[in-house]
Every structure is written in C-alpha cells, then in structure tokens.
Amino acid sequence: MQNPNISPLNPLPPVVTALFLAIMGIEAAFSLGAYGLAGGAQAVGWRVAAIQDYGFSSDVFRWMLENGRYPPEHLMRFVTYAFVHGTFTHALFVGVMLLAMGKFVGEVLAQWAILAVFVAGTLAGALAHGLFIQSQPWLVGGFPGVYGLIGAFTYLLYVRLVSKGSGGGRAFALIGFLMGIKLLFGLLFGADATWLADLAGFAAGFAVTIVLAPGGWARLRARLRHE
C-alpha cells in the first residue's frame, strides 16, 4: 500500500532552495529600498551600489590582468555578481529557472555537485565575459549559473537517451531553444552581450557533470581508454 504521507511532489534539494532564497532575499531588499519601504532615503541607491561593489566588471578584470594584481575584493566578483540583479523581473526569471533546473538535476546529482555546477557556470560566465566583451562591461545576475544547471541537465538527458539507443541530439533541444529566443530578442530589441556568459556557463555545467554524475569518472576513464 502507498504511504499517504508521501508528498506527490519531489522536494527541492536544500542547496537549490538556499540559492533561491539568497537571490530573492537580496532582491527583496533592493525592491523594498527602491520604494522607500526599508533602509531610509539611502536605500534607493542600494542596487546601484551593490552592482558597483559586487557585480563583475570587464574593465576591472582587464585591469587585474594588465597589472598582475588580484585583490580579494575584485576576485570575489567572479561569484558575487550572480546574486545581484538589474531588476526584480531579472531576479524572478533567474529564480524560477533555478528552481526548475535544480529540481531536475537534483534527482541525479548530490547536493555538493549541484552547487559545484552552479559555481562552475558562474565562474565560466564571468571569465568569458571578461575576456571577450568590451561593449557591455558589467555582468550581473545568476543566469550563467542557471545555464550551468541546464548544461548538467542536458548531459544527464544525453546519457539517458544514448543508453536507450535513442539519438542524443534531442538533449540539446532546450539550449537551442533558449539561445534562439535570445537571438530573437536581440534582433528585436537590440543585442545583449550576456549571451556569451550564458553559453559559457552551459558549456562549463555540461563539462563538469561528465565527472560529477554518478559513475561519471569511471565512464569517462573507460571511454578514454577505449579511444
């Protein structure tokens, strides 16, 4: 007999819930401050100040490379930018996609592996943006980390399809659709240079999941030996 106390919905991985609460909690403070509901008069500038202090800047990144200096307050930008968003809508979309992708990936990966994928996507997104984007120096928001989870989801789906004898190409339908939407919006409303950071996040998430997935390291080693 089925246990009536079992929820029909799989619970979210705690690490995903923690990331979501961190992102939306920070955004709530910015939004309340902007409407004068918290923090007093100075709270109106909380978002702008946070972007300047914690957002990732291509200009700052190039300054570090040119001078060979890597202060901790600038290195932390590689991660902290993921928790600062330009608008409430920006943060909301990131939060929703984080919950969706985190739930799917959490059915296979361990807690620490989910966090590792998110961080890998975040780091890769900042690095790609810093190296190749000059026209839009500031990068904020958790999309590169979320795209890392999409990369993990894509790899896990690819493995599942291949194991069933199906074509693995179908696993890339989601990233193809999302990149197509970004291209369409870019053509309609102007180019958005953040697509490169998102794509780099996806690639990083896909790559690290090859090792982090259960049996992934053994599978990779066997494939390399076979080749």
Side-chain angles (χ1 to χ4, degrees):
M1 296 180 64
Q2 294 182 349
N3 186 345
N5 296 321
I6 296 178
S7 172
L9 300 176
N10 292 329
L12 285 170
V15 67
V16 174
T17 302
L19 288 172
F20 175 80
L21 292 177
I23 289 172
M24 297 311 299
I26 293 171
E27 180 55 38
F30 291 158
S31 297
L32 291 173
Y35 286 103
L37 300 177
Q42 69 273 18
V44 176
W46 277 353
R47 189 187 302 275
V48 174
I51 291 175
Q52 293 176 346
D53 292 340
Y54 301 104
F56 182 82
S57 170
S58 295
D59 295 336
V60 171
F61 176 66
R62 290 191 176 87
W63 175 87
M64 289 193 292
L65 292 180
E66 292 171 358
N67 293 276
R69 297 173 57 188
Y70 305 93
E73 62 268 23
H74 292 325
L75 287 177
M76 71 178 184
R77 295 174 183 269
F78 278 87
V79 175
T80 56
Y81 81 89
F83 298 91
V84 181
H85 296 80
T87 64
F88 173 80
T89 303
H90 184 195
L92 183 61
F93 272 103
V94 168
V96 170
M97 291 184 66
L98 172 64
L99 292 178
M101 289 296 103
K103 180 181 182 301
F104 286 129
V105 173
E107 294 176 354
V108 179
L109 297 185
Q111 296 288 309
W112 66 268
I114 297 173
L115 181 60
V117 169
F118 183 85
V119 172
T122 300
L123 293 174
L127 184 61
H129 191 86
L131 289 174
F132 301 109
I133 301 300
Q134 299 183 23
S135 59
Q136 186 178 327
W138 288 103
L139 176 66
V140 294
F143 269 129
V146 169
Y147 270 79
L149 293 175
I150 295 174
F153 169 78
T154 301
Y155 174 75
L156 295 174
L157 181 58
Y158 174 84
V159 171
R160 182 183 302 176
L161 290 173
V162 171
S163 66
K164 294 181 178 179
S166 302
R170 286 190 298 163
F172 296 87
L174 177 59
I175 186 61
F177 172 77
L178 292 174
M179 286 293 105
I181 291 295
K182 276 189 168 287
L183 175 61
L184 178 61
F185 271 76
L187 293 175
L188 294 176
F189 305 107
D192 183 358
T194 59
W195 69 269
L196 181 60
D198 296 341
L199 191 59
F202 169 84
F206 188 97
V208 299
T209 307
I210 296 175
V211 178
L212 297 180
W217 178 250
R219 188 184 301 111
L220 177 62
R221 185 170 54 186
R223 181 173 298 179
L224 291 175
R225 287 178 176 176
H226 181 266
E227 292 177 354

